[in-house]
Amino acid sequence: MLSRLVLGLGPTARTLLDQVSDDAGDLVVVTDDEHRAETLRASGIDVHEADPTDRSVLSALEFEPESVVVADEDPARNTAAATLAADLFPDTFRLVYAGTGATADQRERQEAVADRVVDPDAVVTERLQQIVGDEGTRARKLQQVLRDVDDHLAVVTHDNPDPDAIASAVALGELAERAGCEVTICYYGEISHQENRAFVNVLEFDLTNLDPADQDALEPFDGFALVDHSRPGVNDQLPEETPIDIVIDHHPPRVPVEARFVDLRSGVGATSTLLVDYLRRFGVDISGPIATGLLFGIQVDTKEFRREVVAKDFEAAAHLVTDADMEALQRIENPSVSAETLSVIGRAITNRQREGSVLSSGVGVIGDRDALAQAADRLLNLEGVQATMVYGVIDGVIYVSARARGADIDLGEALRDAFGQIGSAGGHADMAGAQIELGLLETVDDREESLEAVVESIVSDRFLDAVQSRSNRLLGRMYGRAGYDGEAFAEATGLGRTIDGDRDGSESATDDPDATSDDDGTDATVDSTAEEAADDSDATEELADAEPDRDAG
């Protein structure tokens, strides 16, 4: 149990005592304020009514504190008390309140003997910056837009939402309800990954699955908000012309984003981190399910706080952890696995092909595209493997999931190089995905080779070419393709003309390998030419798996 000694009892110390008095541990207060001493005694706190700067008083205490808090309002008394505490209790953690109007000399002397000094002037300045600065202005603008929504707000995630998207949507819905809106959390696609299903079920989140074929599905809504993606019709199935009121996302945009309120901050690891910031600024007491959801969203999107994580992600998680339900998190993280997923993982292992430290595997026709991501993760555990790609076919669409370890290649950019002109692709440096429609090719029955062989030549060869162009070290030797006819594929499918892996009318992927890197090292998604930026290949924007698995955002 932690033992604390408090010297002096200004208003700051009183606030501190209100916070810690219920904690387990010993607490002793030394103050010469008679009235406050009596008040504390009535609360059951051990109080010594004496001068906290008197050496004889502190020496006589039969108490060995682990931490000392110096918190009078007088900076001179605080300096003297802190100096005395450092002499008498040298092994303690010492927190010193500078006091009102502390001089530079007093603050310097306090810093020399304290582990931490709290300067009220700096605290007030920081708080004012939060209120009137950019972040405070942003929060007030969001609140204004929420209040302006006539009534019913649809908060829409990206297709096949992951925990970060779901938690962010629920949190924004909480803010919208407080602003007077009726709220519906919406998504298109499926929630098929077993962890994501458990996430929704255990936390009892109320989500509405929209049917893109239902033309009246959007009629009840007076406003639309997008979370964890930024454009209608791009990685969701909203009509592209849908007017958007709010966008909150942590992925860097590829093109300008239009909405009444836009918050695009790629300097954090998860959209959930941004929503925690808003909840804190609005003074919301975060409920257990929302805190648990946001914490899991940050955890998943930062890959257990190991990928693209920054201090704000840790701060948000620290704020959530006291309200999060850890038992619920454990149930979410250990769900049952479907027979389909095990079958796909087994086929991926059996069908694997290796080039250097890169594995690719085709698993044929599948029913659950989430299984591809889990298979790619499993193959990455093989010794000597640094990158994996697993692909399968569902309803005439080839789905690709890729994983990597280390910094030898940016998978998001590699998949854009490989599939951006014949489908949609995107993601992070260490996890990415793509979707490629088979088009006319699927209906041709008189071809000499099987559909499986054609899909393999399309996907595996193009992926290995893209990896080769970006990292010779991964393949370990020059990889030479055999049997892939780009012109024949383009002619058969009508999906776009590509010859030998290069894009007609644009630069080769090897011409400017750094053209898509942000200055801050985040996973940028801006293509190197204006032609590419305007191309529909950005239709996945930040697929970050192009599938509904837990890594999708």
Side-chain angles (χ1 to χ4, degrees):
M1 294 188 297
L2 184 63
S3 55
R4 305 179 181 90
L5 172 63
V6 177
L7 303 179
L9 201 60
T12 301
R14 179 68 229 189
T15 301
L16 174 65
L17 289 176
D18 290 340
Q19 296 292 324
V20 305
S21 59
D22 293 333
D23 293 349
D26 298 323
L27 176 62
V28 174
V29 176
V30 178
T31 178
D32 52 9
D33 187 316
E34 180 181 357
H35 174 70
R36 287 179 176 168
E38 292 177 357
T39 302
L40 290 178
R41 287 195 186 99
S43 301
I45 296 176
D46 184 5
V47 182
H48 294 252
E49 189 178 332
D51 182 358
T53 65
D54 188 332
R55 175 179 290 271
S56 63
V57 170
L58 300 190
S59 299
L61 292 176
E62 296 180 358
F63 182 65
E64 291 294 335
E66 295 173 83
S67 65
V68 176
V69 179
V70 179
D72 203 294
E73 287 299 302
D74 184 347
R77 284 167 61 87
N78 285 346
T79 303
T83 302
L84 181 58
D87 185 30
L88 295 177
F89 312 109
D91 296 328
T92 59
F93 175 86
R94 292 177 295 280
L95 173 66
V96 177
Y97 177 65
T100 304
T103 65
D105 177 66
Q106 288 170 332
R107 285 195 297 270
E108 183 177 350
R109 291 170 59 193
Q110 291 168 358
E111 289 171 356
V113 295
D115 293 283
R116 183 176 178 184
V117 175
V118 178
D119 186 340
D121 294 335
V123 171
V124 170
T125 300
E126 181 180 354
R127 179 58 178 162
L128 287 174
Q129 288 176 342
Q130 290 178 349
I131 295 173
V132 303
D134 291 342
E135 294 183 355
T137 301
R138 186 187 294 119
R140 291 195 303 278
K141 175 65 174 177
L142 172 61
Q143 190 173 50
Q144 177 183 343
V145 172
L146 287 172
R147 289 173 175 170
D148 287 345
V149 173
D150 289 339
D151 183 21
H152 198 170
L153 176 69
V155 182
V156 185
T157 72
H158 55 66
D159 285 354
N160 316 304
D162 63 342
D164 185 35
I166 295 169
S168 298
V170 172
L172 180 58
E174 175 75 10
L175 292 174
E177 288 180 346
R178 289 171 176 267
C181 298
E182 180 184 353
V183 177
T184 300
I185 311 300
C186 307
Y187 71 96
Y188 290 96
E190 300 177 346
I191 300 176
S192 55
H193 191 290
Q194 62 267 15
E195 273 194 6
N196 296 356
R197 290 196 301 268
F199 178 74
V200 173
N201 293 334
V202 170
L203 298 180
E204 298 182 348
F205 289 151
D206 185 12
L207 311 181
T208 297
N209 187 199
L210 297 177
D211 181 359
D214 184 358
Q215 297 182 354
D216 298 325
L218 304 181
E219 285 297 323
F221 304 120
D222 302 297
F224 293 88
L226 305 183
V227 293
D228 212 30
H229 70 302
S230 56
R231 295 168 58 201
V234 179
N235 208 10
D236 68 28
Q237 297 176 62
L238 289 172
E240 292 185 7
E241 66 276 9
T242 303
I244 302 301
D245 296 278
I246 296 166
V247 171
I248 301 178
D249 188 17
H250 79 111
H251 299 112
R254 307 189 73 187
V255 296
V257 173
E258 296 183 3
R260 294 174 60 198
F261 174 83
V262 177
D263 184 359
L264 297 173
R265 282 183 272 174
S266 59
V268 298
T271 302
S272 292
T273 298
L274 303 181
L275 267 299
V276 173
D277 181 50
Y278 285 117
L279 291 169
R280 295 181 69 176
R281 289 181 184 280
F282 291 140
V284 176
D285 291 330
I286 306 176
S287 67
I290 293 179
T292 306
L294 290 169
L295 180 60
F296 191 60
I298 297 171
Q299 176 183 327
V300 168
D301 243 43
T302 60
K303 205 171 182 180
E304 311 289 341
F305 299 95
R306 297 192 306 269
R307 182 190 70 189
E308 299 176 4
V309 65
V310 298
K312 286 185 179 294
D313 299 311
F314 287 108
E315 292 168 0
H319 182 73
L320 297 167
V321 72
T322 56
D323 296 311
D325 185 338
M326 295 304 168
E327 291 184 3
L329 274 180
Q330 187 172 12
R331 295 200 302 274
I332 292 168
E333 292 176 332
N334 295 282
S336 59
V337 179
S338 68
E340 163 79 3
T341 297
L342 289 178
S343 176
V344 169
I345 292 173
R347 297 204 301 272
I349 294 172
T350 301
N351 299 341
R352 70 189 186 278
Q353 297 181 2
R354 182 166 178 169
E355 292 286 343
S357 61
V358 178
L359 278 186
S360 63
S361 184
V363 296
V365 177
I366 60 174
D368 179 7
R369 56 195 254 194
D370 275 319
L372 297 174
Q374 296 178 68
D377 280 326
R378 187 63 59 89
L379 290 179
L380 196 60
N381 292 327
L382 291 174
E383 184 178 359
V385 172
Q386 291 184 278
T388 64
M389 179 193 65
V390 180
Y391 55 94
V393 178
I394 304 178
D395 297 330
V397 178
I398 305 170
Y399 290 96
V400 179
S401 182
R403 296 289 188 270
R405 70 169 102 246
D408 284 340
I409 190 171
D410 185 324
L411 277 182
E413 296 302 328
L415 262 63
R416 289 187 192 96
D417 292 345
F419 309 118
Q421 293 296 300
I422 62 172
S424 56
H428 298 278
D430 59 353
M431 59 175 60
Q435 301 178 23
I436 309 151
E437 292 189 12
L438 283 170
L440 298 177
L441 192 63
E442 188 181 24
T443 64
V444 178
D445 295 325
D446 58 351
R447 53 182 175 264
E448 295 182 0
E449 55 184 340
S450 68
L451 176 63
E452 184 176 336
V454 173
V455 169
E456 179 180 341
S457 68
I458 295 169
V459 178
S460 184
D461 288 348
R462 292 178 70 94
F463 175 67
L464 290 172
D465 278 347
V467 171
Q468 178 68 38
S469 71
R470 287 185 170 269
S471 176
N472 292 328
R473 287 179 294 180
L474 287 183
L475 294 182
R477 59 180 176 83
M478 288 302 294
Y479 166 74
R481 288 179 305 162
Y484 172 66
D485 187 341
E487 289 191 355
F489 169 69
E491 182 177 353
T493 63
L495 292 179
R497 184 170 182 270
T498 59
I499 302 176
D500 290 339
D502 290 341
R503 302 169 179 174
D504 284 355
S506 66
E507 295 177 346
S508 168
T510 58
D511 289 338
D512 190 6
D514 297 320
T516 59
S517 295
D518 278 348
D519 291 338
D520 63 358
T522 57
D523 178 28
T525 55
V526 181
D527 283 342
S528 57
T529 67
E531 179 183 11
E532 291 173 321
D535 194 278
D536 286 341
S537 67
D538 69 352
T540 53
E541 199 168 23
E542 264 304 326
L543 284 174
D545 238 343
E547 59 226 337
D549 68 73
R550 58 175 273 181
D551 306 311

